[in-house]
Amino acid sequence: MPIPTPQRRSSLLAAAHAVVEQVLKLFSYYLIPLGIGLVSLIALVFWHDQYRTVGDVPLSMHVTVQQEANLVPGAALARARAAGLVTSHDTRLSEDPVWFVFEPMPRAGSQVIEFPSRHAIDVACWDAVSLAPLGAAIRGSGTGSIEGSKAGFALKLAQLPTELLCRASFAGPARLSVLQWPADQYELSVEQYHRKSGLLDGGMVVLAIFILITALINRQPMYVLFAGWLVLNLRVAALSAGWDIQWLGQTIPSDWLLLSRSVGITLYGIATLTLYQALLKENIAALRYVLPFRVMQWLCMPMLAAAILLPYGMYLPLLWGITVCCLSVMTVGLFKIIAESRNRVASWFAASFAVSFLATIAEVASAALGMRELLGVINSVTAALASSLLAALAVAEQMRVETVQREEAQQQLEHAYQAMPVGLFTLDMVGHFLSVNPALQKMLGIASFVPGRTAWRQFFTESTWTELHEQVHAKAEAEMELTSRDGSQRFLVSATLARSRIEGVLQDTTEKHKATEQLQFMANNDPLTKVFNRRGIEREFALAAGGMGAGKPMALAYVDLDRFKLINDLFGHAAGDEVLKQVCERMATMLAGGQQIGRVGGDEFVVLMPETAIPLASIICRGIVDRLGNTPYRVGDKAFHVRGSVGLIEVTPGMAMKDAVSTADRACREAKQGAGEGLVVYERGAEAFRQRAAELDMVARLSGPNATDGLLLEMQPIMSLASPRESLNFEVLLRMREPDGRVVPAGAVISAAEKSGRASMIDRWVLNTTLAWIAEHAEQLVNTRFVCMNLSGASLNDERFVQDTFDILGRYVHVASRLCLEITESVALHDLNNTRRFIDQVRSFGVKVALDDFGAGYTSFSYLKELPADVLKIDGNFIVNINAHPANVAIVEAIVSLAGNLGMKTIAEWAEDAATVQTLAEIGVDYVQGWAVARSQPPERMLEARSAADFITHPDVLELLRLLESPSQLHLASVTRLRDVH
């Protein structure tokens, strides 16, 4: 037989030890707990209960309730004997004293009378024959032969009287009964009572402490809640069994007993509701039970306050009603959750509820059948323990579900870590990677990763590690941009310090960086020509303007290509775009470093020349004009000649970009009109700068709160050629008086108003002031047939102004018929429907309408039939020097004939001499306006005259006026022209 080697012996010993270990685990994990459970079940069902009691007999009694304040024992005895015999009496929450008389059963041996009601407050007894007091007791103390015992009171006498009279007071739903015990059996029942209460207290408290410790270790607030619920469940079970008069072996003071009951029950309900919602929150939301449970939550604090403040007898009915409603909702919710979601937590919780309800029903049934405990098994103690254990199973199931969820979340997190498209990493404090995900390995090109060996410095510079290390220690979340060692990649890293490690995210931003650079270029540069756009050149201007404070000069040129639109129209935008590129290339060859081009329009450019004096800038711009126009532009097989006009200005310190461009644009327009051979230069102090400053000042004044201050009206007479001395008609003209007394004409005011968006405000002021003046002097203006007033195009397209016009006309409706609103032909044609609607509405107030500057635009006579105007004002360009241009005479004569056929009157403006007036009279013009009659007059002068002819002072015009008034005026054409005389 071979001898086992030491190695073989060691292997056999290890195998034997493993078998022993598995057997011990089998016993400890399965057989021992199973055996304990099986033996316990057998003991409860089949074995003899050493605390089982016998011999207790319920006694019949006569009962009466004391209604009056005081009732002596003798009177109570007589009243009680008159009542029938009963075995029990329900107080129905009444707190009136109850008197009862009973006869003890003659039995051998020492006997004890028990009054077992847990709701009893005090008991006193007398010998019914002699009315001698036998004793009295309240909760916590007693005198004579009566003492507090178990849940109620007990009367212990060596020899019981033949008949006893007793009085008891109750609080709550009490049931009065009397039991007679043999003394030894009663003592056994007392031991059983304390054993059960101790079992309940000890079991529940130990379980609660275990749950509390588990909660503290796992930092789970719900388990703290469950521990509290277990203790409160203990108190409710103790109340049901009549053991709530003590806590942990200590007797509760009688003054605290009722308050502890009401508060304990209420807190138990609050804890049950909270635990219910904590375990089944998601299911409740899915069942749309949120509102009922919110109502129950809102009731919790008021119920607690009622438990403290209301008497016990008043509080109990309120508690019962609310408890029934709440339990119904919770029970229905439980069964719906079980039926719809198969939730195990809900199932265990429902079983816990069912055990509690079954125990209650069992106690009621046992009382009805005369049995002390149904089969001696289902009682308040076992029910409390069972419901608590089932609730613990519900919590355990919830713990299991949460553990499974945490494991799934951990797996998902691990999967996400591996699949995340951004780089995730962990670094130690010396810069070595402890963990990386696949994305980071691919990003950095890590072929073989070794935790603790692969270093940050292999991929990035030492300075980036130093900066990252400092940032994570300085702030909670560090973020920085990185460049790879070879400069080919750019990254964004976000990192934080956690448990002495650096946890971070790395993103490859190389493409994003390129896109950002491209977007920045596109934001500041023209995509076609690649020169700066308006935003870019404004930024360059702001940067260059900063150096002007040191006395450095700066010039700005505005370049506009002449007739460039023809290239787009004739050869297409592709050809035009190519020409624009070549234009920018040619201009760039003329510029030195720091000088920039910006495209601000389709064919308009700005050239910014910092640190460039105006003489040098003039040479550069002259070169640009020559370079642009001297050589044709070739696009394919075509060649184009393009010329440019340049306006150059000297930028002054503090000048805004928009002002500089506007002034240079003005110079450019002069160059396009032929001045300076394509280049116009405004040096510092040029008149254009003064005009621009005056214009900006006017715009600022009109944009302020006192825009109408300084505005005034002048009036220019309009004379009738048919009856010069019979009417005093005129046109109101706007003026502005400067603080120095100088009067600014209307052109500058209107231009500034339109640029500042205040044209409607100006027209509103003129309209209101004019009508108010006419209304004030209506009696002095008896010969005034109409007063003309101009409306700007901006006002006519302003809905608010239009509505305000109607409101003003409504206020001055009695003089509105004298008003004649002038609308320019171009404005009328811009929106014919809107103009027609406006004319119709103002004419409803009696206002006349004149079409101003008729013939100045692209006149279409056909539109006259669409506009119900009263007057045509012939454009002054046809009137000035009318006798020198026969074509003008023919045009005016045609307009007069057309107006007459359409029922309109005509007014000729800009009539400056007698010969012009004579010609107009011969043609048949109805009214004439101009310096030949009078210049504009202040309003007070108009009140001194009776007709427009009163203002004429020139002898030639007066002579013509005499001829017009004479009977021979019909033959005026035969009169020698006055201009020929002079």
Side-chain angles (χ1 to χ4, degrees):
M1 181 176 180
I3 301 174
T5 63
Q7 184 177 3
R8 183 176 179 81
R9 284 197 299 269
S10 177
S11 177
L12 291 173
L13 184 61
H17 180 73
V19 171
V20 172
E21 187 174 312
Q22 290 298 324
V23 171
L24 291 177
K25 285 184 177 180
L26 177 64
F27 268 87
S28 300
Y29 290 170
Y30 302 104
L31 297 182
I32 293 177
L34 184 62
I36 293 174
L38 183 61
V39 172
S40 299
L41 181 62
I42 294 172
L44 288 173
V45 176
F46 299 107
W47 292 358
H48 173 70
D49 183 0
Q50 72 178 68
Y51 292 101
R52 182 178 299 276
T53 57
V54 294
D56 55 320
V57 178
L59 301 179
S60 299
M61 54 188 168
H62 302 274
V63 181
T64 184
V65 179
Q66 177 179 327
Q67 302 293 338
E68 55 272 47
N70 294 307
L71 185 63
V72 297
L77 177 63
R79 186 188 300 178
R81 284 174 174 170
L85 282 172
V86 294
T87 57
S88 64
H89 170 75
D90 292 320
T91 62
R92 294 181 176 84
L93 297 179
S94 173
E95 296 185 1
D96 294 331
V98 178
W99 294 81
F100 52 98
V101 180
F102 61 92
E103 296 178 359
M105 180 181 295
R107 301 173 74 176
S110 179
Q111 300 291 311
V112 176
I113 302 298
E114 181 187 6
F115 310 104
S117 176
R118 63 180 180 271
H119 296 289
I121 301 301
D122 60 70
V123 174
C125 291
W126 293 264
D127 185 335
V129 177
S130 63
L131 295 180
L134 301 177
I138 60 174
R139 291 290 179 183
S141 64
T143 60
S145 299
I146 300 179
E147 62 181 22
S149 180
K150 296 199 295 188
F153 296 90
L155 173 64
K156 297 180 179 180
L157 289 172
Q159 182 67 38
L160 291 176
T162 57
E163 187 178 27
L164 292 171
L165 171 66
C166 296
R167 183 198 66 217
S169 298
F170 302 90
R175 167 167 286 191
L176 171 63
S177 61
V178 180
L179 295 177
Q180 182 175 340
W181 289 83
D184 58 340
Q185 291 297 312
Y186 181 75
E187 293 301 326
L188 185 61
S189 72
V190 172
E191 290 183 21
Q192 183 188 39
Y193 170 85
H194 289 296
R195 171 185 168 274
K196 288 182 178 180
S197 65
L199 177 63
L200 185 64
D201 285 358
M204 292 296 233
V205 170
V206 169
L207 183 59
I209 292 174
F210 172 76
I211 295 294
L212 180 61
I213 293 173
T214 303
L216 295 176
I217 293 174
N218 293 281
R219 299 181 181 180
Q220 289 286 348
M222 187 176 70
Y223 304 150
V224 177
L225 167 64
F226 182 59
W229 179 84
L230 287 174
V231 174
L232 291 170
N233 191 26
L234 163 65
R235 296 305 300 166
V236 171
L239 172 62
S240 175
W243 304 332
D244 65 325
I245 60 175
Q246 57 85 32
W247 171 241
L248 300 179
Q250 308 299 313
T251 302
I252 297 176
S254 58
D255 296 339
W256 287 37
L257 183 59
L258 297 181
L259 179 62
S260 69
R261 287 176 176 175
S262 56
V263 171
I265 296 172
T266 305
L267 292 177
Y268 175 71
I270 294 173
T272 302
L273 176 63
T274 307
L275 183 62
Y276 185 100
Q277 289 185 299
L279 293 173
L280 304 170
K281 183 177 182 180
E282 295 181 0
N283 301 94
I284 293 171
L287 293 175
R288 299 181 182 178
Y289 267 46
V290 176
L291 182 59
F293 279 93
R294 283 184 179 175
V295 173
M296 286 190 280
Q297 287 176 319
W298 294 338
L299 287 173
C300 288
M301 290 302 104
M303 286 297 294
L304 183 59
I308 296 172
L309 300 176
L310 293 179
Y312 189 66
M314 294 178 62
Y315 176 69
L316 280 181
L318 176 65
L319 175 66
W320 289 341
I322 293 177
T323 300
V324 168
C325 295
C326 293
L327 282 177
S328 300
V329 172
M330 293 170 70
T331 304
V332 171
L334 272 175
F335 283 106
K336 289 193 70 174
I337 291 171
I338 294 171
E340 295 184 13
S341 65
R342 306 297 181 183
N343 189 305
R344 292 184 180 180
V345 176
S347 300
W348 288 120
F349 217 155
S352 176
F353 269 44
V355 168
S356 298
F357 297 155
L358 183 62
T360 302
I361 294 172
E363 287 192 359
V364 173
S366 64
L369 296 174
M371 301 171 62
R372 298 310 304 154
E373 292 176 344
L374 189 60
L375 302 178
V377 175
I378 302 177
N379 53 54
S380 56
V381 178
T382 55
L385 288 173
S387 65
S388 298
L389 288 173
L390 289 170
L393 289 174
V395 175
E397 176 62 22
Q398 181 68 17
M399 292 172 62
R400 187 193 67 81
V401 171
E402 291 177 355
T403 301
V404 171
Q405 291 175 346
R406 280 197 299 270
E407 290 177 352
E408 291 177 352
Q410 184 68 27
Q411 292 176 358
Q412 292 174 357
L413 184 61
E414 181 65 26
H415 179 268
Y417 184 82
Q418 297 295 326
M420 190 72 69
V422 297
L424 304 177
F425 63 88
T426 302
L427 288 168
D428 61 20
M429 300 312 294
V430 294
H432 292 106
F433 287 102
L434 299 178
S435 66
V436 297
N437 71 338
L440 188 130
Q441 288 184 263
K442 181 179 179 181
M443 211 177 289
L444 298 182
I446 303 176
S448 176
F449 171 68
V450 180
R453 291 282 189 90
T454 306
W456 174 275
R457 299 169 185 83
Q458 295 175 225
F459 311 99
F460 305 103
T461 61
E462 180 69 28
S463 61
T464 60
W465 164 249
T466 304
E467 184 179 355
L468 178 64
H469 190 272
E470 291 175 352
Q471 283 200 26
V472 296
H473 282 83
K475 50 188 177 182
E477 294 183 3
E479 186 172 286
M480 55 186 289
E481 293 185 352
L482 306 172
T483 304
S484 60
R485 275 191 173 275
D486 58 6
S488 62
Q489 291 178 281
R490 296 182 67 91
F491 301 95
L492 176 66
V493 63
S494 301
T496 186
L497 187 64
R499 296 173 299 176
S500 299
R501 295 180 178 182
I502 298 175
E503 303 286 348
V505 178
L506 189 72
Q507 300 180 61
D508 189 340
T509 59
T510 305
E511 295 301 323
K512 180 180 178 182
H513 180 73
K514 293 178 181 178
T516 301
E517 288 184 337
Q518 181 65 21
L519 286 174
Q520 289 176 346
F521 180 83
M522 297 297 291
N524 295 305
N525 294 78
D526 177 50
L528 174 65
T529 62
K530 301 302 185 286
V531 299
F532 284 115
N533 57 17
R534 181 179 293 275
R535 180 176 180 272
I537 201 67
E538 286 178 351
R539 188 189 64 179
E540 293 297 313
F541 181 92
L543 293 174
M548 297 185 67
K552 297 178 181 179
M554 184 165 69
L556 184 140
Y558 195 95
V559 182
D560 189 3
L561 303 182
D562 300 335
R563 303 180 68 187
F564 175 78
K565 185 175 182 296
L566 287 176
I567 298 177
N568 283 333
D569 293 343
L570 296 176
F571 301 99
H573 286 278
D577 290 346
E578 183 59 33
V579 170
L580 287 176
K581 293 178 184 178
Q582 296 182 31
V583 164
C584 291
E585 291 172 359
R586 292 187 183 187
M587 286 194 294
T589 61
M590 302 301 300
L591 302 179
Q595 298 173 342
Q596 304 290 348
I597 304 172
R599 186 182 178 194
V600 295
D603 59 351
E604 298 164 340
F605 302 87
V606 167
V607 180
L608 181 65
M609 293 175 278
E611 301 185 22
T612 306
I614 202 69
L616 177 57
S618 299
I619 296 173
I620 295 173
C621 290
R622 174 54 63 189
I624 289 175
V625 172
D626 295 340
R627 188 81 175 82
L628 292 179
N630 291 344
T631 307
Y633 297 83
R634 294 195 174 275
V635 180
D637 59 349
K638 299 180 179 62
F640 305 100
H641 283 276
V642 177
R643 290 181 173 82
S645 299
V646 180
L648 174 65
I649 69 164
E650 183 179 4
V651 180
T652 58
M655 178 179 286
M657 171 75 176
K658 62 179 181 178
D659 298 332
V661 172
S662 177
T663 308
D665 182 26
R666 179 181 297 183
C668 183
R669 289 198 301 271
E670 287 188 27
K672 288 179 75 71
Q673 293 169 3
E677 298 181 353
L679 172 63
V680 172
V681 181
Y682 288 167
E683 297 187 23
R684 185 178 301 190
E687 177 64 17
F689 288 106
R690 190 198 64 77
Q691 293 176 0
R692 176 64 177 168
E695 183 180 44
L696 292 176
D697 180 65
M698 181 69 70
V699 169
R701 288 178 59 184
L702 293 179
S703 300
N706 302 316
T708 58
D709 290 357
L711 294 181
L712 57 93
L713 296 178
E714 290 188 351
M715 301 169 181
Q716 186 174 29
I718 301 174
M719 184 179 73
S720 169
L721 292 177
S723 50
R725 297 192 182 276
E726 292 183 5
S727 63
L728 178 61
N729 307 313
F730 51 89
E731 179 181 359
V732 293
L733 302 174
L734 179 66
R735 302 287 186 266
M736 175 177 279
R737 192 180 303 279
E738 297 283 11
D740 59 2
R742 182 170 53 88
V743 176
V744 181
V749 178
I750 296 301
S751 175
E754 290 177 345
K755 290 181 179 179
S756 62
R758 306 302 294 274
S760 299
M761 181 271 296
I762 297 294
D763 283 350
R764 191 180 294 109
W765 180 87
V766 173
L767 177 63
N768 191 72
T769 304
T770 299
L771 288 174
W773 185 83
I774 295 173
E776 183 180 356
H777 304 96
E779 296 181 357
Q780 297 168 268
L781 300 173
V782 292
N783 289 339
T784 300
R785 304 290 183 267
F786 60 86
V787 177
C788 292
M789 172 194 158
N790 269 295
L791 281 183
S792 70
S795 298
L796 195 60
N797 293 315
D798 184 348
E799 290 295 333
R800 181 178 177 183
F801 170 80
V802 170
Q803 187 58 49
D804 290 345
T805 297
F806 300 150
D807 294 342
I808 294 171
L809 292 176
R811 291 200 301 270
Y812 295 102
V813 68
H814 56 293
V815 295
S817 59
R818 300 192 188 188
L819 184 66
C820 179
L821 293 178
E822 297 183 7
I823 302 173
T824 60
E825 176 190 356
S826 58
V827 172
L829 288 174
H830 177 70
D831 189 346
L832 195 60
N833 292 330
N834 187 48
T835 304
R836 185 191 303 114
R837 185 166 55 252
F838 177 76
I839 290 175
D840 290 340
Q841 289 177 303
V842 297
R843 291 187 74 181
S844 67
F845 290 93
V847 176
K848 301 174 184 64
V849 177
L851 296 179
D852 196 15
D853 297 336
F854 187 79
Y858 299 98
T859 302
S860 173
F861 288 161
S862 63
Y863 86 91
L864 290 176
K865 65 181 181 181
E866 302 293 337
L867 297 177
D870 302 286
V871 179
L872 286 182
K873 288 196 75 173
I874 305 170
D875 184 61
N877 289 310
F878 295 119
I879 307 302
V880 174
N881 298 324
I882 187 174
N883 295 311
H885 302 282
N888 285 356
V889 176
I891 292 172
V892 173
E893 191 170 7
I895 293 174
V896 171
S897 175
L898 177 65
N901 292 332
L902 294 175
M904 301 179 186
K905 298 295 183 181
T906 54
I907 300 176
E909 52 186 0
W910 295 11
E912 298 182 354
D913 53 37
T916 300
V917 175
Q918 181 179 340
T919 300
L920 296 174
E922 292 171 358
I923 292 173
V925 173
D926 297 300
Y927 296 92
V928 68
Q929 176 184 356
W931 289 359
V933 179
R935 294 176 181 267
S936 59
Q937 305 291 324
E940 54 269 18
R941 283 291 310 279
M942 303 303 296
L943 299 177
E944 298 172 358
R946 295 184 56 82
S947 68
D950 293 348
F951 294 94
I952 298 175
T953 58
H954 196 281
D956 293 346
V957 183
L958 288 173
E959 177 63 20
L960 177 61
L961 185 62
R962 185 184 63 75
L963 294 174
L964 290 173
E965 293 174 332
S966 66
S968 60
Q969 61 178 315
L970 295 174
H971 307 286
L972 188 62
S974 63
V975 178
T976 303
R977 290 186 175 277
L978 293 177
R979 72 173 187 275
D980 297 335
V981 177
H982 302 280

